[in-house]
Amino acid sequence: MVALLFIAIQADPTIETCVSKAAIACGVSRDRGGWELTGTTQSNGTTAHTRLVCDGGDRFVEIDRGPIAVSTGFDGRTAWTLGPSGVPHRDILEDRDVNRLVKWVLNGDWCRPAAPVQLKLTGAGTILMTPTDGTVPATLTLDPVTGLPKSLLLSTLGGDRNVNFSAYKQFGLRRFPTHVSARGGDDPS
């Protein structure tokens, strides 16, 4: 009796294949234009109406209108926050990096060819990312089946902060998570 054994050898994924799969999954490979999302968010025990506008590059503005009104943005060079005090201020260091990394993963801009992030594959579907002009390292975990972001672990001085992305839905050519939750660091929301 002769038995044949076939072994499938799967090539180790490269950073390029992971990023390409993610770009296709979230729609960035088909749609590089700007877009706007609006909806209801819950943060710090309050409900707010939120508007997130992105330019199809790395610039964005998020406006939360509720009991604790906060707006954040990045114009390509300066990150800023307008909080409940009504006085806008520049975000620097970790605050600048964390806000940008979360928004870039949320909107898929991290996987654009000219994205301002350094990427290094650290395991199957796990990518270490850092803004090219920043210092906060983040570990992005992609869903092995869909290629979409599942979580982003940000390593900050205030402790690790984990952001989870789920319940993806199609909006035009793009897929966005409709549920984003964050825990840890100095922001337990």
Side-chain angles (χ1 to χ4, degrees):
M1 173 184 231
V2 176
L4 294 176
L5 178 62
F6 292 98
I7 300 174
I9 299 175
Q10 183 175 355
D12 288 336
T14 64
I15 189 67
E16 291 80 12
T17 58
C18 286
V19 171
S20 176
K21 183 176 180 179
I24 292 167
C26 67
V28 171
S29 64
R30 296 181 307 276
D31 177 22
R32 292 201 173 107
W35 51 267
E36 176 179 334
L37 292 176
T38 59
T40 303
T41 58
Q42 293 187 348
S43 179
N44 299 314
T46 66
T47 301
H49 178 75
T50 299
R51 179 176 170 221
L52 177 60
V53 181
C54 295
D55 73 343
D58 59 338
R59 298 179 299 180
F60 62 86
V61 63
E62 180 178 22
I63 303 166
D64 292 336
R65 297 285 182 240
I68 303 175
V70 176
S71 297
T72 59
F74 179 66
D75 66 9
R77 189 169 53 187
T78 303
W80 54 268
T81 297
L82 174 63
S85 71
V87 178
H89 66 272
R90 267 185 48 208
D91 291 333
I92 60 172
L93 305 172
E94 285 189 348
D95 290 339
R96 180 177 194 250
D97 289 354
V98 168
N99 196 21
R100 293 184 306 160
L101 286 168
V102 170
K103 295 301 183 300
W104 292 341
V105 170
L106 172 75
N107 67 27
D109 286 341
W110 71 274
C111 57
R112 286 182 308 108
V117 290
Q118 297 172 352
L119 303 173
K120 178 183 178 186
L121 190 64
T122 59
T126 306
I127 298 170
L128 178 66
M129 65 186 325
T130 308
T132 53
D133 62 352
T135 61
V136 172
T139 302
L140 176 64
T141 302
L142 303 175
D143 182 280
V145 175
T146 65
L148 294 166
K150 282 177 49 175
S151 67
L152 183 67
L153 179 64
L154 300 131
S155 299
T156 69
L157 293 174
D160 288 346
R161 180 174 182 186
N162 194 37
V163 182
N164 294 302
F165 305 92
S166 60
Y168 280 84
K169 290 187 180 175
Q170 192 80 29
F171 295 92
L173 296 174
R174 294 273 191 119
R175 289 180 75 188
F176 295 99
T178 59
H179 187 255
V180 179
S181 62
R183 295 259 183 251
D186 52 12
D187 181 11
S189 61

